[in-house]
Amino acid sequence: MSLKQNLHNLKEKYRGTKMEQSFNALHTFLYMPNITTHSGAHVRDAADLKRVMNTVIMAMVPVLIFAMFNAGFQHYGQINGFPSGMSFFSTEFWNLDNFWVGFSKIVPMLAVSYGVGLGIEFIFATVKKHEVEEGYLVTGMLVPLIMPIDLPLWMLAVAVAFGVIIGKELFGGTGMNVLNPALTIRAFLFFNWAAWMSGDKVWVHGAVDGVKNAAGTDAISGETVLGTLAANKEVGYSVSDMFFGFIPGSVGETSTFLILVGAAILIASGIGSARIMISAVVGAAVMGLIFNNIVDAGVITESSKFYSLMAFPFWQHLMVGGIAFGIVYMATDPVSAAQTATGKIIYGFLIGFFSIMIRVFNPAYPEGVMMAVILMNVFAPTIDHYVVQANVKRRMKRLKVKTT
Amino acid sequence: MSKDIRIKKGLDLKLKGEAELNVSEIARSKVYAIKPSDFHGVVPKLVKKEGESVKAGEVIFFSKTDEKVKFVSPVSGKIQEIKRGEKRVILEITILADAQDTFVEHSPKNPNDLSTEEVKEHLLASGCWPFVKQRPYDVIANSADSPKAIFVSAIHSAPLASDLNFTLKGKKEALKAGFDALQKLTSGKVHVTVSPNADFMPDGIKAELHKGYGKHPIGLVSTQIGLIDPINKGEKVWVVQIEDVAIIGELFLTGKVNLERTLALAGTGFEKPGYVVAKMGAQVADVVNANLKNGNYRVISGDVLTGDKKSTTDSVGFYHTQITAIPEGDDYDFFGWNLPRPNKFSVYRAGMFSFLTPGKKYDLNTNTNGEHRGFVLTGEYEKVCPLDIYPMQLLKAILVKDIDQMEALGIYEVAPEDFALTEYVCVSKQDHQHIVRNGLDVMIKEVG
C-alpha cells in the first residue's frame, strides 16, 4: 500500500481519539487533506492558511540567513577590527566562520521557540479538540529574530510559554489574540530580565561573557547605534552599513535591505498589508522630521540628553533599530492589526509616529517599535470601531433621509 | 429610460465546460418531486394524500404560517409518496407523472385591468407566489406586505451560468405581461437590470431598466439593490428571478402555470455541456444521466458558488436554472499546501501563479484546499464584495448572535448568496453562506 493510503488508514484509526489533532497536524503538512465542500461555495480558493503562513515565513528566510552571518561578523569584527568599505557581497562577511557563530546560536533558539510554542499549541488543540492552527509557525520564526543573540535559552522557553498561553490561547487561539504573540514574548522578557534585553552588553555574541582582548579590557561592546545616540556619542557606522545591516542589534532586525526584500514578497503575494507598511514609514518620517526641525530651530541644544537622537536624520532613523523589522513583520500581523482599510492607514501611521517618539524620549531603552506596536494593537479595535461606525452612520442617515 | 450601474469589486471565476447553445431532447421523467426545503422557512400543510391524483398546477400543500401561499404540482399524475424524516418533517412529495399533462385552467387575464389585490390573489391561487421572494431575509414574500420596490436581476454573472439571451428567446410577450403584473404589486418602482448585450427584453415594459457592468456579483440582486435603492431598516423589497417573471407572464396570457425551465448543463462533468428543457421537480438522473461522464463527479443543482449538492435520485431545485457537474476533490494532495498548483485558481499570489494567466479557464474540484480555521486574514473579503458593508465584521456579529450589531452592519441588505465569493476566497475555509443564513434566521425569529 502506498504512503498516502497508509496515512489515510491511520487518520481513520485515530478519529475521535486523543491522537487525532496531533496526527492531523502532521499529516496535513505532508498531504493537503481530502476534505470536500458540502454546501455553499462548492469550489474554494487554492490558498489556505498554511500556504499564507508559509509565504510569510519565506519572506523572513533572507533575514534569518543574513542574521546568522551577521552574528559572527559582529563578534569577530569587535575582536579583530572591522574591514572598511566592505560591499554587500564581500567574503569578509559571507564566510563560514561568521556563519557558524550565528548558526550555533540561532538554531537552538529556533528549536526552543518552535518546540515550546508548538508543544503548547498541540496540547491546547488536543484538549479543546480543534485543529492545530498555523499561527505559531510565523510567531516561532519571528521570536529568535527579535532576541539578543546571547539570550539564555531557558529564558526564551519561559517567555514563549507565557506568550503562547497568556497572550494567545487564553483569548481563544489563532485569530483571537489581542496582542502580537511574538511581541508579547519579547515584552515579557524585557520586563522580567531588562538587563538581558537592553543596554550595551547583549547585542553582540560574547559581550556578556566579557571576552578580553590582548590588553586585558573587554574586547566586545554590544552597543547598538541607538544606544550610542542615546548616550550622545558619535555613531561609528556608515549609512551603507546601517542599510545593509552590518551593525549590532537584535538577531534579525539589522538589515533594512533584506527586510525590504521581505516586504516586497509580502506585498507582491497579497499577504502583507502595504497600507500598514507605507503609512507606518510615513508616520515615522513625520515624527523624525518634527524632531529634526526642533533641533534645526535651536529649541534643543547639544546639552540636552535627547540631542543626538533628535538630530539624527529622519531617514536614517528608519534604518537603525528594530523599526523596519517591526513595521514589516510585526505591525502587519492581520490578527492584532486594524482590520478595516481606513483603520490600517491610521494604525500604521501611529505605529511609525510613536516608535520614533518613544525611541527619542525613553531614556532607559532607546527603541520604541515594540512598545508602539503593542500600544497600537490595543487600540486597533478602537480604530476599527470608529471606521465601522462611519459605515453604520451612513446607513442610519439613509434611513433618516427616507423618513423625513 | 436606462441607468447604468457599475461595480469594480468582484471576481469572475473562469471555469471549463460552458454550456453550448443548443437544446438536447430528454425523455420526460416518470417521477417528479417537490421539496419543501427548497422554500426556506416554509412549514408545509398537505392538501393531497398519497395515492390521490393531481393536475399540473393543482395545489399540493400550503404554508402553515401564511395559508394563502400555495405550492402546486408541476405535472399531472398521482401522488406517489410523501417522504418524511425525523419528527415527521416532510422531506419531499413525489408525483408519478402521467404521459401527458392536464393543466388546471385559469382564465387568461390582463394584469392592467386588475387591481393590486386581484393580481396578488391570482398569483397566490395559481401557485406562482413562491417566485416572489423578499429582502430582507431571502424568504418567500409575505403577501400582506406592500414592498417599496421590486427588483429583477436579468444578469447571470455566476460561473457557467445559463445564457439568458438563449433561454429567454421568444418570451418577450410573457415577460411584458409579467412585468405588468409585478408593477401592480408595488406602489414604488419595478427595477430590472440587464447586461449590456441583452436582447431578450421587450420594449416598453412597465419597469425601470438598468444596465449593469462589472464582474460577478453584478448579477446578484443584492448588488443591484445596493446600488439603485438600498434597503433600510423596516423596509421590504421583493425580488423575482427574470425566468420566473416569464412564468408569471405566461400564467396571465394563457391561464396555465407552466412550471418549466430551460436548464443549462455545464461543467466538465458533462460529455456535451448544453441545454435541456425540463419541468421543475424533475429527477436529476433523468435530466443529466444521458450526458454525465463516468467517474467521480458532483452534480450541483444551481451554480458552483451557491447551488445544492444532489444525488441522482434527488430532484432539481425549484429556483435553479442550471445544473453543474464538477469533479469531486476527495483526494489527498502531496505537499498541496505549498507547491504551486497550475491546475488550481487562487486570488492570492502565495506560491500560486494564476495571476499570470488571467484568461485561463480552470477545471476546479470540490476540495476545500485546506482545513477550517479561525478568521485571520483581513481586507480580502472586501475585494470581492461590492456591497457597502464590512463582511467580516458582519460575519463575526452573526457568530456571536449580536442582533443590534448585525442590524447596524447591514444584515437587512444581504442574502446568503452575497457571501459566496467571500466564502470562495476565505483562506480560513469558513462557511460564510451558512453563517449568514443562520444570522438571517435569528433575525426572523427575534425581530420578524
Side-chain angles (χ1 to χ4, degrees), chain B residues 305-333:
Chain B
L305 290 176
T306 61
D308 297 324
K309 180 181 174 178
K310 296 284 181 187
S311 76
T312 46
T313 52
D314 281 330
S315 57
V316 179
F318 184 81
Y319 295 100
H320 293 144
T321 59
Q322 70 177 109
I323 295 177
T324 320
I326 55 171
E328 279 287 3
D330 54 349
D331 196 8
Y332 296 92
D333 187 5

Side-chain angles (χ1 to χ4, degrees), chain B residues 83 131 362:
Chain B
K83 281 188 193 149
F131 292 129
Y362 293 86

Side-chain angles (χ1 to χ4, degrees), chain A residues 164-183:
Chain A
V164 175
I165 296 174
I166 307 289
K168 191 169 162 193
E169 291 300 338
L170 276 193
F171 290 98
T174 299
M176 314 289 181
N177 44 300
V178 176
L179 303 180
N180 184 316
L183 284 180

Side-chain angles (χ1 to χ4, degrees), chain A residues 48-50 52-53 121 130-135 168 171-177 334-335 339, chain B residues 370-378 381 392 395-396 399 425-432 435:
Chain A
D48 66 345
L49 203 55
K50 272 198 183 61
V52 168
M53 293 300 181
E121 293 262 352
H130 62 68
E131 304 296 340
V132 179
E133 308 220 0
E134 288 82 7
K168 191 169 162 193
F171 290 98
T174 299
M176 314 289 181
N177 44 300
V335 175
Q339 301 180 339
Chain B
E371 293 176 300
H372 184 271
R373 292 289 183 263
F375 288 104
V376 171
L377 283 194
T378 59
Y381 306 151
M392 188 165 82
L395 288 169
K396 286 186 172 177
L399 286 173
V425 301
C426 182
V427 293
S428 301
K429 312 296 174 189
Q430 297 262 357
D431 292 326
H432 295 199
I435 294 170

Side-chain angles (χ1 to χ4, degrees), chain A residues 37 39-48, chain B residues 9-13 159 216-217 220 223 303-306 345-348 368 372-396 398 414-437:
Chain A
T37 54
S39 65
H42 293 265
V43 294
R44 299 294 178 95
D45 196 275
D48 66 345
Chain B
K9 294 173 172 183
L11 173 68
D12 280 332
L13 269 186
H216 188 59
L220 295 186
T223 310
D303 64 71
V304 290
L305 290 176
T306 61
F345 175 78
S346 177
V347 296
Y348 304 91
T368 53
H372 184 271
R373 292 289 183 263
F375 288 104
V376 171
L377 283 194
T378 59
E380 296 301 332
Y381 306 151
E382 284 83 349
K383 289 181 191 162
V384 294
C385 179
L387 298 170
D388 184 23
I389 59 165
Y390 282 102
M392 188 165 82
Q393 280 74 7
L394 179 56
L395 288 169
K396 286 186 172 177
I398 294 172
V414 302
E417 60 181 15
D418 300 317
F419 282 77
L421 278 177
T422 64
E423 183 170 78
Y424 174 82
V425 301
C426 182
V427 293
S428 301
K429 312 296 174 189
Q430 297 262 357
D431 292 326
H432 295 199
Q433 295 185 74
H434 183 70
I435 294 170
V436 171
R437 185 66 261 174

Side-chain angles (χ1 to χ4, degrees), chain B residues 24-291:
Chain B
S24 42
E25 292 291 319
I26 52 166
R28 186 179 159 88
S29 296
K30 287 199 175 67
V31 178
Y32 288 78
I34 307 184
K35 287 185 117 160
S37 62
D38 281 352
F39 313 100
H40 187 84
V42 168
V43 181
K45 276 289 239 187
L46 286 169
V47 176
K48 294 281 179 185
K49 292 196 189 93
E50 279 181 19
E52 283 186 89
S53 60
V54 288
K55 285 181 180 171
E58 199 176 343
V59 179
I60 292 182
F61 64 88
F62 57 85
S63 164
K64 199 174 174 182
T65 45
D66 186 355
E67 297 193 356
K68 288 187 203 160
V69 179
K70 299 186 167 70
F71 300 83
V72 300
S73 172
V75 291
S76 64
K78 217 195 243 172
I79 307 280
Q80 187 191 34
E81 194 189 354
I82 292 159
K83 281 188 193 149
R84 289 178 186 268
E86 265 176 63
K87 295 185 186 167
R88 293 187 44 78
V89 168
I90 298 171
L91 297 178
E92 71 177 359
I93 299 132
T94 56
I95 301 146
L96 200 62
D98 298 339
Q100 279 284 320
D101 285 330
T102 43
F103 283 88
V104 174
E105 302 280 345
H106 304 274
S107 54
K109 293 175 180 172
N110 183 346
N112 295 319
D113 302 338
L114 302 177
S115 70
T116 299
E117 281 313 307
E118 284 168 327
V119 171
K120 265 188 195 173
E121 286 308 322
H122 194 43
L123 291 176
L124 286 162
S126 62
C128 282
W129 193 260
F131 292 129
V132 184
K133 294 179 97 177
Q134 73 159 47
R135 296 293 165 86
Y137 309 143
D138 194 31
V139 291
I140 292 174
N142 181 346
S143 57
D145 289 335
S146 50
K148 75 159 180 174
I150 295 177
F151 283 83
V152 176
S153 168
I155 303 177
H156 279 182
S157 59
L160 300 175
S162 61
D163 182 347
L164 287 170
N165 278 343
F166 183 71
T167 56
L168 288 175
K169 199 186 279 173
K171 297 211 169 162
K172 285 193 178 179
E173 250 179 89
L175 284 172
K176 196 165 169 24
F179 280 110
D180 286 347
L182 289 185
Q183 184 59 68
K184 285 281 175 182
L185 295 177
T186 173
S187 50
K189 282 178 179 164
V190 176
H191 297 275
V192 54
T193 310
V194 298
S195 59
N197 65 354
D199 62 8
F200 53 84
M201 287 301 283
D203 298 324
I205 49 162
K206 285 193 176 164
E208 190 159 300
L209 196 67
H210 306 267
K211 281 200 170 113
Y213 297 87
K215 299 172 186 166
H216 188 59
I218 186 68
L220 295 186
V221 73
S222 308
T223 310
Q224 299 165 5
I225 297 172
L227 290 167
I228 294 166
D229 184 7
I231 306 170
N232 298 305
K233 187 188 174 184
E235 291 176 343
K236 293 260 165 70
V237 159
W238 288 354
V239 301
V240 186
Q241 294 192 101
I242 184 73
E243 292 92 341
D244 301 343
V245 175
I247 295 176
I248 290 171
E250 218 181 321
L251 165 73
F252 280 93
L253 291 176
T254 65
K256 285 180 192 165
V257 185
N258 187 15
L259 298 180
E260 193 174 75
R261 291 217 186 273
T262 308
L263 296 165
L265 305 183
T268 50
F270 290 109
E271 297 280 0
K272 271 192 183 156
Y275 288 81
V276 293
V277 177
K279 292 276 180 186
M280 288 180 196
Q283 274 206 338
V284 169
D286 297 324
V287 178
V288 303
N289 266 12
N291 203 338

Side-chain angles (χ1 to χ4, degrees), chain A residues 54-357:
Chain A
N54 187 42
T55 308
V56 180
I57 292 171
M58 287 302 138
M60 279 189 276
V61 166
V63 171
L64 178 77
I65 293 171
F66 179 88
M68 290 187 182
F69 285 93
N70 193 44
F73 178 73
Q74 294 301 327
H75 176 74
Y76 291 121
Q78 294 264 1
I79 295 171
N80 307 329
F82 287 104
S84 59
M86 192 179 70
S87 81
F88 184 65
F89 296 105
S90 166
T91 50
E92 300 198 56
F93 182 82
W94 301 100
N95 63 51
L96 274 179
D97 286 345
N98 286 348
F99 177 74
W100 180 247
V101 172
F103 184 81
S104 61
K105 294 301 290 184
I106 294 169
V107 170
M109 285 167 103
L110 266 177
V112 168
S113 160
Y114 274 125
V116 175
L118 285 178
I120 294 169
E121 293 262 352
F122 271 69
I123 292 169
F124 268 86
T126 306
V127 173
K128 289 165 73 187
K129 297 210 185 328
H130 62 68
E131 304 296 340
V132 179
E133 308 220 0
E134 288 82 7
Y136 194 77
L137 295 182
V138 170
T139 309
M141 181 80 159
L142 280 169
V143 164
L145 294 178
I146 54 175
M147 295 300 159
I149 185 89
D150 276 343
L151 186 80
L153 294 176
W154 68 268
M155 283 187 193
L156 185 67
V158 173
V160 166
F162 172 86
V164 175
I165 296 174
I166 307 289
K168 191 169 162 193
E169 291 300 338
L170 276 193
F171 290 98
T174 299
M176 314 289 181
N177 44 300
V178 176
L179 303 180
N180 184 316
L183 284 180
T184 312
I185 291 167
R186 195 176 199 276
F188 178 84
L189 283 168
F190 178 69
F191 287 113
N192 278 290
W193 294 289
W196 278 99
M197 298 296 290
S198 60
D200 57 2
K201 281 283 174 230
V202 296
W203 305 109
V204 175
H205 170 56
V208 180
D209 304 334
V211 175
K212 306 283 185 208
N213 61 10
T217 53
D218 280 355
I220 298 175
S221 154
E223 198 169 47
T224 62
V225 175
L226 287 174
T228 316
L229 286 168
N232 275 338
K233 289 188 283 192
E234 198 70 20
V235 176
Y237 298 97
S238 70
V239 171
S240 107
D241 281 350
M242 293 192 281
F243 179 68
F244 288 119
F246 306 128
I247 52 173
S250 291
V251 169
E253 71 174 21
T254 61
S255 178
T256 310
F257 171 64
L258 289 174
I259 290 168
L260 283 175
V261 171
I265 296 173
L266 288 177
I267 293 173
S269 63
I271 305 294
S273 167
R275 266 194 190 86
I276 293 177
M277 294 186 208
I278 292 167
S279 61
V281 168
V282 171
V286 166
M287 188 78 251
L289 268 174
I290 291 173
F291 284 137
N292 288 172
N293 279 315
I294 289 173
V295 169
D296 290 347
V299 180
I300 295 285
T301 58
E302 284 189 44
S303 60
S304 164
K305 61 178 177 177
F306 302 127
Y307 177 79
S308 289
L309 277 165
M310 277 186 159
F312 196 54
F314 73 95
W315 53 277
Q316 290 183 21
H317 261 301
L318 288 165
M319 289 192 277
V320 298
I323 189 164
F325 191 88
I327 287 173
V328 171
Y329 297 110
M330 299 289 183
T332 53
D333 165 21
V335 175
S336 54
Q339 301 180 339
T340 54
T342 320
K344 281 175 183 169
I345 293 172
I346 301 168
Y347 165 88
F349 182 87
L350 290 177
I351 282 180
F353 193 81
F354 285 134
S355 290
I356 302 298
M357 188 192 278

